[in-house]
Amino acid sequence: MKIAVLGAGVIGVTTAHYLARAGHEVTVIDRQSGPALETSFANAGEISPGYSSPWAAPGIPAKAVKWLFMRHAPLILQPHMNVATVRWLLALLRNCTSARYALNKARMVRLAEYSQEVQTALNTELDLQYDHRTQGTLQLFRTQKQLDGIYKDTEVLRQGGVPFEVLDQDGCIAAEPGLAATRDLFVGGLRLPRDETGDCFKFTNALGDVAIGQGVTFLYDTAIKALITDKGRIAGVETSRGRITADAYVLALGSHSPQMVKPLGLTLPVYPVKGYSITAPIVNEPAAPVSTIMDESYKVAITRLGDRIRVGGMAEISGYNNVLPEQRRNTLEHSVGSLFPGAGDLKAATYWSGLRPMTPDGTPVIGKTKFDNLFLNTGHGTLGWTMACGSARVIADIISGKTPDIETADLGIARYG
């Protein structure tokens, strides 16, 4: 079957790889000059199945009000109050119940755990090089209240069979020796030993090279203008190169997916939640992190990528923009600078922002649509790389008429009614 994949981020490239492996003729279309040049470019560097949690959670509305007045706020609310923004925020609030949080987290962990299995097999097969490490994630708590509040997460992890460790100060320092100099700043942590780290940009480019060897065609510098319908099917995609046709189409455009399907009568609740990162060269090896630390107070991830430290986080609701305010950089520098002082050269750090495609329930949208040859693989939020390989394998199986290895009925757009 001839298949067009729209988008060359980590979701689009992994999708192309698994479709090609299944024997399909695949063309990937993207407006950028190469793979992973938007949201996949400088993300936090985590592959964290155990940390797969929806932003919509009990207590979040109250916390959000407090965060808005913090100097180093993890949530920034500067919305363009259009219908899509209001609808998405209301849907997010509806998911802030204990029952919905448990349901959403369980299916996110299911997909993320499967994705890690698929990616592990891929790494064994291809030996891709992308600053890969397998030394876990440490969620670090600066207050006792934070540490005391983890029982809901640990219960879901326990039910899902995800290994975890609740650590005191000494345990945190044993996992991350660079924290020894700042032990007074935290009380304990939750460690997920199976989590991994790596550079998503390097991974996507390496897998893209493999895909080319499989016969995948990449059309870069190609603007995607519209999907053309005819008699209940997608008849083609209108691009800056003209109309491109295929037997099936996979939408993997991240935050830009809703605009593409809105003219088709599909409401896709994916919103661009903006995140930021800095990447600093390591200048003091013993003081640097060895894997990923999640600074719970600021919702910031601090990740070791080879000879660099990637610091990423925050959630800004401000529509489609890539402005880089100095205040956001200050928050990232404060988090890493307070926990790992002197480890990286923050003055030499590069500064970046990306638009995470967030759904109100945290789970991506993967599967069929009312058009029998249009498929979705989008809405992964902060967990695009964590879920990429599993999502790609699932959608490739669905398109190929195979039964996926995991339950997928609750991952599609139909769950939104």
Side-chain angles (χ1 to χ4, degrees):
M1 190 185 305
K2 186 177 179 181
I3 302 173
V5 176
L6 311 186
V10 68
I11 301 300
V13 172
T14 51
T15 297
H17 167 72
Y18 284 103
L19 285 170
R21 275 183 41 152
H24 300 289
E25 180 184 344
V26 183
T27 298
V28 180
I29 309 169
D30 196 278
R31 65 182 179 181
Q32 295 290 348
S33 59
L37 289 177
E38 295 197 22
T39 304
S40 302
F41 180 71
N43 66 14
E46 302 170 79
I47 304 171
S48 300
Y51 200 70
S52 298
S53 301
W55 277 81
I60 283 296
K63 288 181 181 179
V65 173
K66 182 181 72 173
W67 286 338
L68 292 176
F69 297 97
M70 287 175 58
R71 179 184 176 190
H72 298 295
L75 174 67
I76 303 99
L77 186 62
Q78 297 179 344
H80 299 278
M81 281 302 177
N82 53 37
V83 173
T85 302
V86 173
R87 183 188 293 123
W88 187 85
L89 286 171
L90 291 175
L92 184 79
L93 290 173
R94 285 196 297 272
N95 279 279
C96 290
T97 66
S98 296
R100 290 197 178 192
Y101 176 79
L103 173 66
N104 295 334
K105 183 175 177 66
R107 63 187 178 191
M108 291 171 72
V109 170
R110 179 210 316 155
L111 177 59
E113 286 282 303
Y114 173 64
S115 189
Q116 188 176 44
E117 293 177 13
V118 175
Q119 183 160 356
T120 297
L122 184 72
N123 289 342
T124 301
E125 176 189 352
L126 300 178
D127 191 28
L128 302 177
Q129 302 300 307
Y130 53 95
D131 293 329
H132 183 216
R133 290 190 173 208
T134 56
Q135 293 172 259
T137 295
L138 175 62
Q139 187 178 5
L140 201 67
F141 305 112
R142 294 179 183 250
T143 70
Q144 190 63 42
K145 183 178 180 180
Q146 291 172 344
L147 182 59
D148 293 341
I150 65 172
Y151 68 94
K152 291 179 182 178
D153 282 339
T154 56
E155 183 57 31
V156 173
L157 294 172
R158 187 178 289 110
Q159 292 175 1
V162 180
F164 65 89
E165 303 165 351
V166 179
L167 305 177
D168 58 13
Q169 286 176 314
D170 290 336
C172 292
I173 293 168
E176 286 286 351
L179 292 170
T182 57
R183 63 178 299 135
D184 293 340
L185 293 182
F186 57 90
V187 298
L190 173 64
R191 183 169 180 265
L192 304 171
R194 287 172 50 191
D195 282 6
E196 305 175 30
T197 59
D199 189 319
C200 183
F201 174 76
K202 289 185 177 181
F203 170 84
T204 307
N205 276 266
L207 188 60
D209 290 340
V210 172
I212 291 172
Q214 294 173 304
V216 175
T217 299
F218 286 88
L219 298 179
Y220 295 120
D221 297 308
T222 305
I224 300 168
K225 298 180 179 181
L227 290 168
I228 309 302
T229 61
D230 181 43
K231 298 178 181 178
R233 290 175 57 84
I234 304 301
V237 53
E238 202 66 52
T239 78
S240 56
R241 294 175 182 252
R243 185 170 298 187
I244 296 171
T245 61
D247 300 311
Y249 302 81
V250 182
L251 189 63
L253 290 174
S255 296
H256 300 280
S257 300
Q259 298 96 313
M260 195 56 55
V261 298
K262 184 178 180 180
L264 309 182
L266 294 175
T267 300
L268 182 59
V270 172
Y271 190 86
V273 176
K274 190 178 180 183
Y276 296 88
S277 77
I278 57 173
T279 306
I282 293 173
V283 293
N284 184 352
E285 177 78 23
V290 298
S291 190
T292 290
I293 297 86
M294 283 296 306
D295 187 346
E296 180 63 19
S297 293
Y298 305 111
K299 302 293 185 182
V300 168
I302 303 167
T303 300
R304 173 70 168 267
L305 297 177
D307 58 358
R308 302 164 294 153
I309 302 172
R310 172 72 51 75
V311 189
M314 291 174 286
E316 179 177 303
I317 298 174
S318 58
Y320 292 87
N321 78 81
N322 282 305
V323 178
L324 293 169
E326 195 64 22
Q327 184 179 353
R328 311 292 178 253
R329 177 172 184 148
N330 292 341
T331 296
L332 299 173
E333 291 186 356
H334 172 74
S335 177
V336 67
S338 62
L339 293 173
F340 298 94
D345 185 352
L346 299 184
K347 291 183 179 179
T350 57
Y351 183 29
W352 172 89
S353 73
L355 301 177
R356 309 183 190 104
M358 299 282 288
T359 61
D361 56 16
T363 310
V365 184
I366 306 169
K368 300 178 179 180
T369 69
K370 66 180 182 180
F371 299 92
D372 62 11
N373 65 337
L374 176 62
F375 302 84
L376 303 175
N377 192 6
T378 188
H380 295 75
T382 60
L383 298 163
W385 193 21
T386 293
M387 297 180 173
C389 288
S391 300
R393 179 70 179 271
V394 163
I395 200 67
D397 285 343
I398 290 173
I399 292 172
S400 301
K402 299 179 180 178
T403 301
D405 295 331
I406 61 170
E407 175 59 51
T408 62
D410 55 354
L411 302 181
I413 194 171
R415 73 178 187 267
Y416 296 113

